Amino acid sequence: MNIFYDILVVGSGPAGSTAAIYASRDGFKTGVIEGNMPGGLLTTTTVIENFPGFVNGIDGFELVMNMKNQAIRYGAEYIQGKVAKIEKNDNFVVYTEDNTIIEAKSVIIASGSSPRKLGYESEARFWGKGVHTCATCDGAFYRNKEVVVIGGGDSAMEESHFLAKFATKVTILNRSEEPKATKVMQDKALSDSKVSLINSTEVIEFFGNDKLERIRIKNSITGANEEMLVDGVFLAIGHIPNTGYLEGFAELEPSGNIKVSHNVYTSVDGLFAAGDVVDHIYKQAISSAGMGCMAAIAARKYLQK
Ligand code: NDP
């Protein structure tokens, strides 16, 4: 038997759950497909200090769970699963990977993004055995060890600050001449004496036996390269949008982000998008939540037409 919703939201991060709060509170029968990581990437962060309304910050996991419970309070239904394919006949037909079929009059895509990898064969070999993307998930394995964080953005600074709780030494390797992270995040990370930053440096290979033991680093200006002993490496080099299942259905940008007009309108009538699947510039919890709100209002207008 098919499940039927007025509005189906794909994704349960700040964009998805905010859309679900608005849609369900508006009285629409609303479903949310949670995806592989219920609550999205915010569940892997620690305290969020810049989400308005929380004077002392709020834990990322707690924030998204509060949003989910707020949506449930208005009647939204959360469904475990990951979307494999979407079609449109009179209504949208959404197929999950475990073959659940869900129909909806309107769909809001908020399936977020996944951490970018470097793409080397040696990186794949040591994945989870010294190479990681989430300090809050795996940082505790590196108590009294030496780690490297790759990247120069706010995520790299945040991961380094967190890893310094466990590791004896955290070295940030940034491929550019200057890190692109905001000053406040750089100051937060680099004020810890265990954390240091090396600019103009790329990691080009990973070595070890059963687990990672060494990396080869290259100076991105001179090309000079050398090996460095390390226990663990955390990648913080940005994210790629989770939109593969939309290829051939909705128009995408070359980056993989969903092409939109007026912030949340996709190329398919009745299909809206919000959060990291669209946004490759701001990527904040609050801007994603704002887009979720816009998408729900756009879906309401579409359904009332
Ligand atoms: P960013 O896109 O801001 O930074 C990515 C970093 O990874 C850059 O330093 C980039 O280098 C580097 N990089 C990209 N590809 C490679 C590669 N192949 N090899 C080596 N280095 C690479 O991503 P973030 O995840 O850091 O941040 C995303 C957004 O989230 C931002 O808007 C940020 O402000 C926000 N954020 C906010 C936080 C907060 O306020 N608490 C915490 C974390 C994130 P290059 O500069 O050379 O391109």
Side-chain angles (χ1 to χ4, degrees), residues 50-281:
N50 51 8
F51 198 94
F54 298 94
V55 179
N56 299 312
I58 179 165
D59 177 78
F61 183 80
E62 190 184 347
L63 178 63
V64 279
M65 288 308 131
N66 284 349
M67 291 180 183
K68 173 178 175 175
N69 289 330
Q70 195 175 349
I72 289 172
R73 190 176 143 234
Y74 290 116
E77 294 173 359
Y78 280 67
I79 305 155
Q80 286 182 353
K82 188 178 172 205
V83 173
K85 188 174 69 165
I86 304 185
E87 290 171 350
K88 190 181 181 200
N89 304 319
D90 289 341
N91 292 311
F92 289 90
V93 186
V94 177
Y95 302 83
T96 68
E97 285 184 350
D98 59 4
N99 293 322
T100 305
I101 299 173
I102 305 170
E103 282 192 54
K105 292 180 195 163
S106 176
V107 171
I108 295 172
I109 303 292
S111 44
S113 60
S114 299
R116 179 180 284 125
K117 297 178 182 178
L118 291 167
Y120 305 137
E121 184 277 327
S122 60
E123 173 192 53
R125 198 147 29 97
F126 295 106
W127 199 255
K129 295 179 210 158
V131 183
H132 309 266
T133 53
C134 173
T136 37
C137 316
D138 300 322
F141 296 125
Y142 294 93
R143 197 174 293 278
N144 301 324
K145 307 259 187 204
E146 296 191 3
V147 297
V148 153
V149 173
I150 305 179
D154 283 343
S155 297
M157 300 302 148
E158 189 170 77
E159 298 280 273
S160 303
H161 176 70
F162 183 79
L163 285 164
K165 288 182 208 279
F166 307 101
T168 48
K169 187 175 171 197
V170 181
T171 309
I172 305 170
L173 300 180
N174 170 44
R175 69 175 176 185
S176 308
E177 286 180 47
E178 293 290 335
K180 68 188 285 195
T182 51
K183 187 172 181 310
V184 63
M185 295 297 286
Q186 287 190 49
D187 289 349
K188 188 171 161 183
L190 297 170
S191 63
D192 191 314
S193 59
K194 288 187 199 171
V195 180
S196 60
L197 167 70
I198 306 178
N199 289 317
S200 306
T201 303
E202 294 168 52
V203 175
I204 53 172
E205 198 164 358
F206 300 84
F207 305 98
N209 289 305
D210 295 342
K211 60 178 191 54
L212 183 71
E213 291 165 10
R214 307 179 323 276
I215 53 177
R216 178 161 289 280
I217 57 175
K218 182 177 110 178
N219 184 300
S220 32
I221 299 169
T222 64
N225 62 76
E226 60 182 306
E227 284 192 11
M228 178 178 174
L229 290 174
V230 67
D231 297 300
V233 168
F234 287 79
L235 301 175
I237 57 171
H239 294 84
I240 46 174
N242 297 325
T243 54
Y245 65 96
L246 292 168
E247 272 170 32
F249 181 67
E251 259 185 74
L252 304 180
E253 303 280 0
S255 61
N257 292 92
I258 301 174
K259 200 169 189 174
V260 289
S261 57
H262 300 95
N263 301 308
V264 294
Y265 287 75
T266 74
S267 58
V268 181
D269 203 26
L271 183 79
F272 305 93
D276 280 8
V277 283
V278 175
D279 171 24
H280 51 92
I281 300 171

